[in-house]
Amino acid sequence: MSESMLDTVLAQFHRAADQIGLKEDHRETMTAFKRILQTQFPVERDDGSFDIYEGYRVHHNVARGPAKGGIRYAPMVSLDEVKALAMLMTWKCAVVNVPFGGAKGGVIVDPAAMSRGELENLTRRFTTELEPIIGPDSDIPAPDMGTNAQVMAWVMDTYSMSRGYTVPGVVTGKPVALGGSAGRQEATGRGLMYVLQDHLRDAGGIQGRKVAVQGFGNVGSVVAKLLQMEGAVVTHISDKDIALHYPTGVDAAAAANYVAQGGTLTEWNEEHGRCEVVDAGDVLTADVDVIVPAAVEHVLTEENAPHVKASIVLEAANGPTTNAADAIFKERDITVIPDIVANAGGVTVSYFEWVQARQYVRWSEERVNEELRRLITAGYQTIAARQMSAKDGATLRDAANWIGIERVVEATELRGIYP
Ligand code: NAD
């Protein structure tokens, strides 16, 4: 059977646990899931019929604070995938040292096949199903694949209606007009750019590096745009329908702005881009310095990892690299900057949004970006230093997992076991 996302995340955990000699009881605590909600619920379609949907919300570990993690709407969602993503969130929050535990949610649905009204119905009903476990002190959802600021607005409104007053702290990634944070929409992409800057600081920086980006949604479009603005040459971009190549650099900023207005990459290329259309598989094996998988998990496998030409993999998506591919990259001396630090900009600014919501204050975008840089740079430098000080050829992913696990173990020990 092929490796599942949960297999990948658990194997990474056990490898890190072996390396740091984690005690057996902590190993059990760290791989236990605090709470799992699974629900099947009806949603009314525009023609008056009903369909039943299945959704999940998983809290992995909440030793360090309220559960935090996105909600994904996608046809391939499964309970195992949501558990894996919740566990990654636990380590990610610990690596950037924000006071949250790890959670994730998902609904098995193709949001592109629903009208706006149907999506609103689905979101409001799913929120109602989640009500017993979400809240500003307990579990704070955010956007992920297939969800966006509008979906978060519906989550907040539904939760607030049942309370009788507005509760802005129950979700992050809301529209700015509803208490969303300046800078949140771009935060994951911006964090990725900061981490790459840190990584290349003593190696000539981002200027002139050739980059290929897979996925052109919330994360991929922003990171492509920001890397281009920093002087990178973005030769390849792609989404689920098309892959584009322009040897001297696609105008990623123009494409990102076009897509942000609701257009597709295909339309942008027809109207403005004039890029060569290439095979989807060419993006990750392109002759570039950095590849940025920013779409779905497990796109880097033992089949394509031997053909990757880049020297750096910047993991924008969660879990884009299988364990087999990870081993090949290590063998080939290709550096993987792991998801739990690389894409932590989103949860970091979500934390700032939650703080602002709870204090009823607004930070400027400059302040948000400065604080983001401070926390994500500290996270990256801590793992880079830890990797350097390890003797046995540890990867950045190993070091990131050590830091994440150790911080959660420390919180668990300080709290003790109740009763
Ligand atoms: P999104 O739904 O906004 O965009 C996903 C993009 O990937 C779309 O352009 C889609 O067409 C493309 N895509 C889907 N399947 C593809 C395929 N097989 N090949 C190429 N492109 C494909 O999602 P997003 O919010 O940008 O999330 C992307 C990844 O980043 C996910 O793994 C998500 O968990 C992770 N992530 C997101 C955030 C966030 O703040 N949104 C934060 C951290 C991590």
Side-chain angles (χ1 to χ4, degrees):
M1 240 179 61
S2 64
E3 177 182 325
S4 76
M5 176 75 173
L6 189 57
D7 295 335
T8 309
V9 171
L10 283 172
Q12 287 169 3
F13 168 83
H14 287 297
R15 176 184 156 90
D18 289 344
Q19 289 165 327
I20 57 175
L22 192 68
K23 286 194 302 195
E24 193 51 40
D25 53 349
H26 284 318
R27 216 183 262 259
E28 281 177 28
T29 318
M30 295 299 119
T31 50
F33 288 84
K34 166 86 180 159
R35 191 173 280 124
I36 296 174
L37 186 149
Q38 177 167 4
T39 171
Q40 295 182 324
F41 55 95
V43 176
E44 187 173 358
R45 307 298 302 251
D46 289 341
D47 64 5
S49 65
F50 291 84
D51 282 324
I52 300 292
Y53 290 87
E54 179 151 321
Y56 314 95
R57 184 75 182 166
V58 173
H59 296 175
H60 169 236
N61 183 297
V62 293
R64 299 183 79 256
K68 188 86 189 79
I71 293 178
R72 175 175 286 196
Y73 288 172
M76 301 306 287
V77 163
S78 68
L79 178 56
D80 269 8
E81 180 191 67
V82 175
K83 286 168 82 174
L85 291 165
M87 186 179 263
L88 282 180
M89 284 304 295
T90 302
W91 315 136
K92 190 183 300 184
C93 292
V95 163
V96 283
N97 219 353
V98 294
F100 291 132
K104 204 77 180 193
V107 178
I108 305 171
V109 58
D110 178 6
M114 285 194 135
S115 70
R116 182 184 160 94
E118 290 170 341
L119 262 187
E120 179 173 353
N121 287 350
L122 175 113
T123 301
R124 288 188 183 279
R125 178 61 190 250
F126 185 52
T127 304
T128 310
E129 301 289 332
L130 296 185
E131 258 189 45
I133 65 166
I134 61 170
D137 290 313
S138 55
D139 174 5
I140 306 114
D144 191 72
M145 268 174 62
T147 57
N148 57 20
Q150 177 60 69
V151 171
M152 295 306 114
W154 291 326
V155 174
M156 184 197 88
D157 184 70
T158 306
Y159 185 87
S160 300
M161 285 300 110
S162 79
R163 290 294 180 283
Y165 52 89
T166 299
V167 188
V170 67
V171 283
T172 59
K174 300 177 290 293
V176 172
L178 287 179
S181 180
R184 171 62 184 90
Q185 206 259 319
E186 293 208 332
T188 306
R190 184 170 289 279
L192 283 151
M193 189 263 285
Y194 288 157
V195 167
L196 189 61
Q197 272 179 342
D198 288 335
H199 183 75
L200 293 173
R201 178 141 295 134
D202 300 326
I206 289 175
Q207 179 76 31
R209 304 269 173 182
K210 286 165 86 179
V211 178
V213 181
Q214 181 196 56
F216 213 68
N218 286 337
V219 179
S221 66
V222 174
V223 71
K225 176 178 87 175
L226 293 179
L227 291 177
Q228 182 194 356
M229 285 164 71
E230 287 302 303
V233 182
V234 182
T235 57
H236 295 70
I237 57 175
S238 70
D239 67 6
K240 65 178 173 19
D241 301 317
I242 198 166
L244 303 175
H245 172 227
Y246 203 82
T248 52
V250 181
D251 190 348
N257 291 338
Y258 189 91
V259 168
Q261 313 284 317
T264 67
L265 213 46
T266 306
E267 289 162 356
W268 174 78
N269 193 45
E270 276 163 14
E271 285 175 34
H272 310 280
R274 316 261 185 269
C275 300
E276 181 195 356
V277 177
V278 294
D279 284 347
D282 292 354
V283 177
L284 297 176
T285 53
D287 190 6
V288 293
D289 303 299
V290 183
I291 53 170
V292 187
V296 291
E297 50 252 35
H298 282 185
V299 292
L300 290 162
T301 62
E302 60 188 325
E303 278 78 44
N304 62 2
H307 308 294
V308 166
K309 298 183 192 69
S311 57
I312 298 173
V313 179
L314 181 64
E315 289 191 335
N318 286 307
T321 309
T322 63
N323 285 317
D326 227 16
I328 294 168
F329 290 146
K330 184 174 176 187
E331 171 88 28
R332 295 187 58 213
D333 235 350
I334 293 172
T335 301
V336 179
I337 307 181
D339 45 11
I340 61 173
V341 65
N343 71 28
V347 75
T348 303
V349 175
S350 274
Y351 166 57
F352 302 154
E353 179 176 333
W354 180 75
V355 167
Q356 293 170 74
R358 309 217 69 192
Q359 298 179 346
Y360 296 94
V361 294
R362 291 289 172 100
W363 294 6
S364 68
E365 189 163 347
E366 291 69 36
R367 178 171 177 193
V368 168
N369 291 346
E370 259 170 48
E371 298 273 343
L372 168 60
R373 179 182 274 288
R374 196 170 61 76
L375 288 198
I376 204 147
T377 293
Y380 171 77
Q381 285 178 350
T382 306
I383 66 163
R386 189 70 185 272
Q387 182 206 21
M388 290 289 283
S389 66
K391 293 190 201 75
D392 51 356
T395 62
L396 279 173
R397 190 188 314 281
D398 294 331
N401 281 321
W402 301 340
I403 303 280
I405 294 165
E406 284 169 358
R407 286 181 176 165
V408 181
V409 166
E410 183 187 8
T412 306
E413 283 186 338
L414 286 167
R415 289 178 66 152
I417 293 177
Y418 176 84

